[in-house]
Every structure is written in structure tokens, then in C-alpha cells.
Amino acid sequence: MTETLLAPSLADRRILLIIAGGIAAYKSLDLIRRLRERGASVRVVMTEAAQQFITPLAAASLSENSVHTELFSLTDESEMGHIRLSREADLVVVAPATADILAKAALGLAGDLASTLLLATNKPILVAPAMNVVMWNHPATQANIATLRARGVLQVGPGSGDLACGEVGGGRMAEPLEIVTAIELALAPHLPLQGRRALVTSGPTFEPIDPVRYIGNRSSGKQGHAIAAALQRLGAETILVAGPTHEPVPPGVHFIAVETAREMLDACLDALPADIAVCAAAVADWRADSVAEQKIKKGAGGTPVLHFVENPDILATIAGRGGDRPALVVGFAAETEDVLGHAQAKRRRKGADWVVANDVSPATGTFGGDINTVHVITADGIDSWPPATKAEVASRLAARIAKVFEVQS
Ligand code: CTP
């Protein structure tokens, strides 16, 4: 059987192919041909450097679509804007992905059309790195690819062998057929949480004292946002209810911004029913019992005394729901001493199925930092994970959650 007789595995799938400037760009022409054979529609974007290796005309002929090269020409009415170009695709493929474009993507630079599209897209991204072995092994490139992978960017290759520069080693772009297979996998992935609904709380809450002051805490929202992103990547329809943070909203996640614990509770209850609830927010335990209508001034009446009332416990409320209690309720326990003991007690007290416990004493740098060391406490025992980035902890937690639902379905 010849390849052209194969069933069109990519029928109606829309690929946005970004060709960056490397000698492997010539292989991307073959990639376009093979994608077209499989029924995919291919839109091509070329960087300026890519045009030194292959011509836009060759890519346009093979893709049967016009090729885009300039960021600002896309502002023409007749052209598709860069946002549409980046969104009207099922998958964004970067092949070859040079050290330069990986660095731009890792940093979030948007100085040209290709990097702008990578920043503007909310679709999965697959990169096929290609470069000299020393460049590939350089700590800067390795850090960039690790950053991208932690954000969910998919990678195919590079392989090793003879490189165009005459050196031998890793850095050779995956062959077009390998890239096609990776594209097929990316577009027909096994999404274990497809059809499930997940609710995630994240960040701190701010409890007002007067119009300008509030009580807050140091939660960055990094862990909660990463969990929302990871659940969404596994196919769950994900609602993220978050207090004030500087974290970007993960692509594809429904985002509800709140300030206070009571607003967070209302937003969570509105979001139910859900199959999964992960309460990662650092909710303020107390709020001022009355909020001054005007800014409290110095001098008048001496030093102000605040009276606190307890905030509702969102985790305990969700875990204690009747008919619409999520099948799996996961809480966090931020502790500064006797981490496991406090966390086990918290799991029972709040009625959570699992508690993810972490040590947040200042020496650990967990609050606001990127690394987290957690213990997952369930009714069956304690699973202690090694220190990992918050993105890695999130992926691992989402995978563990997915397992529960795989068993159920
Ligand atoms: N939590 C919540 N609502 C609150 C307080 C906490 O949903 N009002 C949730 C957090 O999102 C987390 C878990 O409860 O999942 C534990 O939070 P933590 O701050 O560790 O516990 P507290 O209940 O505040 O207990 P303590 O301050 O005594 O440690």
C-alpha cells in the first residue's frame, strides 16, 4: 500500500506550521506535503531567517495557502489578524524550532510574527528542535525547553546523527514522518478527564478594612493556577476561581476573579456541580467584622482596634455538600510545623478526600517560589513526592486525579 492510499488521519485538522531559520527548514517542505496527504489544512508562517533557507513560494505551493511572514502586514483588513491566525488552528507546530525561537517563546517575546503567534495562541504547541549539538546542549537552551515543557508545550526530537554543521550528536530535527506521528498523537490524545468538570481555587483572598486597606497573605497563586492548567490539559472543563494574583490565566480555563473569601465561596457554589474540586487558595481565615466606609485616619480616636469574624471555610463547605458534592475533593494544607500531623487532622476535619500538604515555613521558599515539596494524604496513607516545580507537582496531581476517574469510567 502506498502512503497516499492511507486513510486521511488528519482530515479537516488545521495545522499552523511555523518554520524558523535553520537548515532543517528544507525538511519542513516535505512535512507540509505529508500533512496535506493526510487531509490536514496547513497554514505556514516563516521567520525572516527561514526565508534564507527556503522560499515562501515553495511553502505556499505545497500548502496551497498563502504564507505569512510579516507581523504588521497582518493588520490589513484583507489579512487575517495574528490572533485569528494563531487561534484558527487545532495545533501550532514549530519545525524547525531553532534555539532562537525556543528562547523567544520561553521568554514570551513577541518581536516578530512567529513569536507573537506563539504568545497569542491558546492552542497546543508542538516543537521540533533543530540546531547544532553544542547549542542544543547549552544550559540556556535546555532551560528554555524545560520551561516550555513545564508549560505543556509538546516536543518531538531532536534525534542524533550527522548534523549539517559537520558535527555529530543531538540536535538533528526529527524526520518529517516522526513529526507527523507526533502531530497525530497530539490531535488525537487520550484525554482522561474529557467530559469531567473541575473547580480550582487559587491565590490569596483580600479582606477589606477600609476603602484602601486590606488583610491579605503571600500566596502567589502559582500552584493553584498550574493545577487548573494541568487539569484542563487532561481534558477537564476547568473553572478557576482566584483571588488577586499576578499569574496569567491558563489558556482554555474559565476564570473567575474574586477578592474576598465570601466572594470566592459564592463563585465556587455557582460553579457546582463539578466532578473535581481542588482548593489551593490561601483563604484568609478572618475578616474585619465591619468595613469602614471612609479611610480610617490617624489620630482620631487613637489606634484603631480591629474585630475579626471567621470566614466561611470553602473547602469544608464544598466537601460537606449533599447532592452536588464533587466526587473528589482535594484540599491543601500549608503548615509550618508537624506538617503531616496537622494535614491528616485537616483532611478529616474538613471532609476532604485528599489533602496535599506542604511546608510553608519561610526557609522552604514555597510561598511565592517555584519549587514545592508535597505529601499527598489520602484515606489510604501518605505519598511523599520529591521537590519539584509547581508545574510538575500540578501535572503529577492532575495525572493522579485522572487515574481515579479512569478507574470509575
Ligand atoms: N480553606 C478554605 N477556606 C478557608 C480556609 C481554608 O477553603 N476559609 C482551604 C484551603 O484552600 C486549603 C485548606 O482549606 O485547601 C487548608 O488551608 P490552610 O490555610 O492550611 O488551613 P486553615 O483552615 O486555614 O487552618 P489553619 O489556619 O488552622 O492551619
Side-chain angles (χ1 to χ4, degrees):
M1 191 191 279
T2 66
E3 266 175 34
T4 44
L5 293 179
L6 285 173
S9 56
L10 293 170
D12 301 326
R13 305 320 295 263
R14 298 163 306 172
I15 311 291
L16 176 65
L17 174 63
I18 296 177
I19 305 179
I23 182 65
Y26 79 91
K27 290 195 205 170
S28 303
L29 294 176
D30 189 33
L31 174 63
I32 298 172
R33 184 176 68 81
R34 291 175 187 275
L35 292 171
R36 294 287 298 135
E37 276 172 7
R38 284 160 179 75
S41 73
V42 183
R43 280 192 176 274
V44 177
V45 166
M46 288 172 67
T47 63
E48 212 178 305
Q51 296 166 58
Q52 304 292 323
F53 294 94
I54 57 169
T55 65
L57 184 61
S61 312
L62 286 164
S63 66
E64 297 167 76
N65 256 324
S66 51
V67 170
H68 306 277
T69 54
E70 300 290 332
L71 178 57
F72 295 108
S73 74
L74 292 193
T75 54
D76 289 357
E77 292 256 321
S78 57
E79 277 279 9
M80 219 180 181
H82 61 270
I83 299 289
R84 257 183 73 202
L85 190 56
S86 68
R87 307 256 168 102
E88 288 190 359
D90 299 308
L91 180 71
V92 180
V93 179
V94 189
T98 56
D100 181 68
I101 200 155
L102 292 176
K104 284 179 174 146
L107 271 178
L109 296 181
D112 61 5
L113 178 58
S115 52
T116 301
L117 293 174
L118 290 174
L119 199 59
T121 192
N122 57 1
K123 294 298 161 52
I125 299 172
L126 171 73
V127 295
M131 68 200 73
N132 163 273
V133 57
V134 179
M135 290 166 77
W136 173 246
N137 288 332
H138 194 287
T141 306
Q142 289 302 308
N144 290 333
I145 193 80
T147 299
L148 294 172
R149 289 178 64 130
R151 284 185 205 144
V153 169
L154 306 166
Q155 181 189 339
V156 53
S160 46
D162 292 336
L163 300 174
C165 51
E167 292 186 65
V168 179
R172 190 186 158 119
M173 186 168 90
E175 292 305 319
L177 271 181
E178 281 175 72
I179 301 177
V180 167
T181 305
I183 291 172
E184 285 168 343
L185 274 176
L187 287 174
H190 172 59
L191 290 178
L193 292 176
Q194 191 101 50
R196 305 289 181 181
R197 196 171 145 92
L199 166 66
V200 179
T201 70
S202 181
T205 63
F206 284 1
E207 309 296 332
I209 296 170
D210 67 17
V212 296
R213 301 182 180 93
Y214 61 84
I215 298 164
N217 62 66
R218 295 184 198 280
S219 169
S220 64
K222 281 185 183 164
Q223 187 63 80
H225 279 52
I227 290 167
L231 291 169
Q232 198 272 340
R233 280 201 300 276
L234 294 189
E237 177 195 357
T238 305
I239 301 114
L240 174 62
V241 179
T245 78
H246 296 295
E247 282 298 292
V249 177
V253 163
H254 304 284
F255 181 71
I256 303 168
V258 296
E259 287 231 331
T260 66
R262 286 185 297 175
E263 285 168 11
M264 188 174 271
L265 177 65
D266 289 346
C268 287
L269 295 181
D270 283 348
L272 292 179
D275 301 286
I276 303 151
V278 181
C279 294
V283 184
D285 291 318
W286 303 280
R287 65 177 185 276
D289 67 351
S290 66
V291 178
E293 271 179 33
Q294 305 301 332
K295 185 180 170 197
I296 303 170
K297 303 297 281 180
K298 273 199 301 286
T303 309
V305 176
L306 291 178
H307 290 280
F308 289 118
V309 286
E310 205 166 314
N311 267 328
D313 192 306
I314 298 163
L315 171 61
T317 308
I318 293 173
R321 299 283 292 183
D324 61 2
R325 182 194 191 276
L328 183 68
V329 178
V330 182
F332 269 70
E335 306 295 344
T336 54
E337 38 101 36
D338 187 15
V339 175
L340 297 179
H342 283 314
Q344 279 169 314
K346 212 168 264 183
R347 190 184 80 80
R348 285 189 294 270
R349 193 170 71 241
K350 301 203 181 199
D353 300 297
W354 302 353
V355 159
V356 180
N358 56 1
D359 187 343
V360 293
S361 48
T364 64
T366 301
F367 254 42
D370 287 320
I371 301 292
N372 209 353
T373 309
V374 305
H375 312 268
V376 180
I377 297 168
T378 69
D380 300 327
I382 299 171
D383 195 2
S384 295
W385 294 352
T389 64
K390 289 182 177 176
E392 282 162 353
V393 168
S395 298
R396 198 165 165 177
L397 184 66
R400 187 164 176 166
I401 290 172
K403 264 200 190 138
V404 172
F405 287 91
E406 267 178 356
V407 171
Q408 284 185 359
S409 58

